[in-house]
Amino acid sequence: MYEAIPHGVKNITTLLTADRPVRQSLPTYGLWLPLQKASGGLLLVRDKAWEPHEIALLAEWIDIWRHAWQAKQNPHRWSWRSPTQVIRRQFTTAAGISWWKQRRILWLAVIVILLLFPVHLTVLSPGELVPTNPAVIRAPLDGVVANFAVKPNEFVKAGQLLFTFDQATILSRLDVARQALATAETEYRQSAQLAVSDAKYKAQLATLTGKIEERRTEADYLQAYLDRSSVTAPRDGIALFDDPSEWGGKPVVTGERIMRIAASNDLEVEAWLPVGDAIPLDVNSPLTLYLNATPLFPVSAAVRYMAHDAVERPDGGYAYRVRAQLDEKTTHRVGLKGTAKLRGGRVPLCYWMLRRPLAAIRQFVGW
C-alpha cells in the first residue's frame, strides 16, 4: 500500500527523507511536498528512488511556493489601505440594526465624550532658577571699574571686597581739597594773631571760619567718595555677575547694576509667559521646571505671582514675568535654565486642542 508522508511536519528535510512504496496504480516511489497544514500540497511520484540532492532542491523550491501562497492568502496587515478599510467598516451602516446601535453612532459618542473630557490647561515657557531675595550691588558713583577682587559664582562673606573704581581722579581732587583746607586754616591763624592788635582782622575771622568749614566739608565728601569707590559685600552669599574682563575699564553711572549676592539655598523659579500663551493663573498654581542640565529630574514649584504688564524680552517678543516658589529645597545651582510647564484650571479637551487655532482665526478675521 502507498503511505503518504505525515502532513504538517515543520522540518521539510525530515518530511522529504523517506521513499515510500505506492499503490500499484501509481509509480513505486512518491514524494509529498506540503504547502500548508490545511491547504494541501504537491505529490510527486516516479519509478526511481528519490536522491538526497533532488529532495534538497525540491525542498527549497516548495519553500518559495509556500511563501508566495501565504502572501496571497494573508496580505500584509500593516499596508496603508488597512487603517482606511478598518475605519470605513466601523462607520458603515449595518442592515437590520437600530440607528442608535450602529457602530458609527457609538464611535461618535465616544469621540464626543473624549472631546468633552476635562483636562488641565497647560502652556510651556522658558524658565530659570533665580535667587529669591538677592542683594543687588549697584554702582555707588560715576566712574570707571578698575578691577574685581572676586570671581563669578564665588562664595563671599559680609564685608569682603568685591571690586574697586579707578581712584586717580578722586585722589587728586581730595589732595586739592586738603590743601585748600590747610590754606584756609593758615589764613585763619594769621588773622587771629593780627586781630589782637587790629580790629579789621577781627571782623574777618567769621568769614575765614566759614571758609574753613566749607573746605573741610568738601574734603570729607571726597573722602567718603573715595571710601565708596571700594565696594564690599553686604552679606554672605554667591557673587553673580558676568565675566570680569568685560567690566574692566568700563565707565558706569550711579545706580547701574553690576552684580548680585544671593544665598545658595534661597532659590525660586522665574518663567516668561508669552503674550500669545497667557492663561489665567491663580496663586499656588502648579509649575514644573524641566532643566536642560537634568531633564529627568524636574523641579516642582507653586506660582507666587504673575506680572500684570508684559515686558520686552531680548528676543524682541513680549512676555509676562511669573515667579514661583519651590515646593522643596533643591541641589541645583542658581542660573540653570530650562522649560517651565504652567498648569491652569480644567477645560474641555476640545478647547485645549483648539485654543491657539481659534485665537489665530479671530486675529485674522476679527470676529
Side-chain angles (χ1 to χ4, degrees):
M1 292 293 293
Y2 172 77
E3 295 181 1
I5 295 176
H7 189 69
V9 178
K10 295 182 180 180
N11 190 343
I12 189 64
T13 305
T14 305
L15 181 65
L16 304 176
T17 52
D19 294 332
R20 312 272 177 105
V22 298
R23 290 180 296 184
Q24 294 180 357
S25 58
L26 295 175
T28 306
Y29 299 96
L31 189 63
W32 174 247
L33 306 177
L35 285 175
Q36 277 188 338
K37 292 183 179 180
S39 300
L42 176 65
L43 176 63
L44 300 178
V45 293
R46 70 179 186 181
D47 294 331
K48 183 180 177 182
W50 295 94
E51 299 294 337
H53 68 277
E54 296 176 335
I55 296 175
L57 291 175
L58 289 173
E60 184 176 354
W61 178 76
I62 201 62
D63 280 342
I64 298 173
W65 276 98
R66 184 181 296 107
H67 180 270
W69 177 267
Q70 292 177 353
K72 182 67 176 178
Q73 297 298 321
N74 300 317
H76 196 273
R77 65 179 61 187
W78 295 107
S79 63
W80 65 272
R81 292 189 180 89
S82 298
T84 305
Q85 294 174 355
V86 171
I87 295 174
R88 186 177 300 172
R89 286 197 300 268
Q90 297 297 328
F91 286 88
T92 302
T93 303
I97 301 178
S98 301
W99 67 269
W100 54 275
K101 292 183 179 180
Q102 296 287 340
R103 286 186 175 181
R104 59 181 180 180
I105 301 299
L106 298 177
W107 278 111
L108 289 175
V110 171
I111 293 174
V112 170
I113 293 174
L114 289 178
L115 292 177
L116 296 179
F117 187 79
V119 296
H120 282 285
L121 185 60
T122 59
V123 294
L124 300 177
S125 64
E128 180 183 0
L129 285 177
V130 297
T132 304
N133 296 307
V136 181
I137 308 300
R138 300 184 181 275
L141 48 87
D142 295 345
V144 176
V145 177
N147 55 66
F148 276 81
V150 295
K151 298 179 180 179
N153 299 328
E154 180 181 345
F155 184 82
V156 297
K157 294 183 177 296
Q160 181 178 345
L161 180 63
L162 300 177
F163 59 91
T164 58
F165 285 85
D166 186 4
Q167 300 176 349
T169 303
I170 304 174
L171 288 174
S172 63
R173 292 174 59 188
L174 180 59
D175 289 340
V176 172
R178 286 175 176 174
Q179 291 295 333
L181 176 60
T183 302
E185 290 177 346
T186 301
E187 291 179 357
Y188 178 81
R189 287 193 298 269
Q190 291 177 355
S191 298
Q193 291 176 358
L194 295 173
V196 176
S197 59
D198 191 344
K200 181 181 65 172
Y201 291 100
K202 187 176 182 180
Q204 295 178 356
L205 292 179
T207 304
L208 293 175
T209 301
K211 188 176 180 180
I212 291 175
E213 293 298 328
E214 181 182 354
R215 300 305 184 191
R216 183 177 289 114
T217 302
E218 184 179 0
D220 293 342
Y221 170 76
L222 291 175
Q223 182 62 48
Y225 204 73
L226 179 63
D227 295 338
R228 291 202 304 271
S229 65
S230 298
V231 182
T232 58
R235 68 180 188 185
D236 297 348
I238 300 175
L240 305 176
F241 63 100
D242 296 333
D243 187 4
S245 61
E246 296 183 0
W247 287 98
K250 180 180 178 181
V252 297
V253 296
T254 304
E256 183 176 352
R257 192 182 79 173
I258 297 179
M259 68 168 59
R260 295 173 296 169
I261 305 297
S264 57
N265 57 353
D266 188 18
L267 300 178
E268 67 177 5
V269 179
E270 181 182 66
W272 293 95
L273 188 60
V275 175
D277 289 332
I279 61 174
L281 289 176
D282 299 328
V283 177
N284 295 327
S285 296
L287 182 148
T288 305
L289 178 62
Y290 298 92
L291 297 171
N292 297 331
T294 55
L296 298 180
F297 302 95
V299 177
S300 59
V303 173
R304 189 161 57 89
Y305 76 88
M306 176 178 174
H308 290 282
D309 298 327
V311 297
E312 187 176 3
R313 298 285 293 151
D315 57 1
Y318 284 82
Y320 297 95
R321 185 196 302 267
V322 179
R323 285 294 186 101
Q325 185 178 5
L326 297 180
D327 293 339
E328 56 185 9
K329 293 184 178 180
T330 178
T331 57
H332 299 295
R333 68 173 180 84
V334 63
L336 292 180
K337 299 181 182 294
T339 301
K341 180 180 180 181
L342 298 98
R343 189 168 62 183
R346 292 184 178 273
V347 295
L349 179 61
C350 58
Y351 177 80
W352 181 84
M353 297 171 59
L354 301 176
R355 182 180 65 88
R356 290 297 297 274
L358 288 176
I361 293 174
R362 293 194 65 179
Q363 293 176 3
F364 181 76
V365 303
W367 176 81

